[in-house]
């Protein structure tokens, strides 16, 4: 055997990957090990999305008052809020609102906003913007070459975007999660 030849049964054993993918060693914080192992197990079974979903019963009858009948006739397929509310998971993040400047849009203090960074902000979109280093949620309006952020509260003034401001749109708000405090 010449120098540099591969010697069988010597060195680190390889664990064959069924589809021939390469492997890369990584350090994983112990605190998230269980979650990663769950994803790996789901990935081996070919259904990684199943491990990340939570499907709950979804009643098709509309509720005007009271609770819908739990009869099976009114059950539709289970509803997974991740699939329903998040169209682009890799580009989506959550942020908590503060203040009452968007109260007329249904965004209350301390609500959780679902923000999609992959969507293009259009005239009338509710956006998360950074203005001079501070995050804000407002409705974006564009008139010609002028752009401004409009609160949904008649007591708050519009905010005109000028070239002097450091301004960036972080994403479009697609949904709001509002928790009623009276149930606790």
């Amino acid at each position: 055997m010449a120098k540099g030849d591969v010697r069988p049964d010597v060195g680190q054993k390889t664990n064959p990957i069924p589809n021939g993918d390469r492997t890369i060693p990584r350090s994983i914080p112990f605190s998230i090990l269980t979650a990663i192992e769950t994803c790996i197990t789901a990935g081996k079974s070919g259904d990684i999305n199943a491990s990340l979903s939570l499907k709950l019963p979804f009643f098709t009858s509309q509720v005007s008052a009271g609770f819908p009948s739990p009869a099976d006739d009114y059950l539709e397929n289970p509803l997974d809020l991740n699939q329903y509310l998040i169209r682009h998971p890799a580009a989506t993040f959550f942020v908590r609102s503060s203040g009452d400047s968007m109260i007329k849009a249904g965004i209350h203090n301390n609500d959780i906003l679902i923000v999609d960074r992959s969507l293009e902000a259009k005239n009338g979109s509710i956006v998360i913007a950074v203005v001079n280093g501070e995050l804000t949620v407002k409705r974006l309006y564009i008139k010609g070459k002028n752009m401004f952020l409009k609160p949904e509260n008649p007591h708050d003034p519009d905010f005109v975007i000028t070239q002097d401001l450091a301004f960036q749109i972080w994403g479009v708000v697609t949904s709001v999660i509002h928790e009623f405090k009276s149930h606790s």
Side-chain angles (χ1 to χ4, degrees), residues 106-148:
I107 298 174
H108 300 255
N109 183 44
N110 227 19
D111 282 352
I112 295 174
L113 309 176
I114 300 174
V115 183
D116 190 332
R117 293 193 68 157
S118 69
L119 298 178
E120 179 184 350
K122 297 178 180 173
N123 189 35
S125 295
I126 296 177
V127 299
I128 300 295
V130 182
V131 180
N132 288 338
E134 293 196 25
L135 284 171
T136 188
V137 56
K138 298 287 183 286
R139 193 174 296 275
L140 175 70
Y141 281 102
I142 303 166
K143 286 186 178 176
K145 294 182 180 180
N146 298 320
M147 186 180 323
F148 60 99

Side-chain angles (χ1 to χ4, degrees), residues 17-22:
I17 306 293
N19 62 6
D21 279 349
R22 295 181 322 127

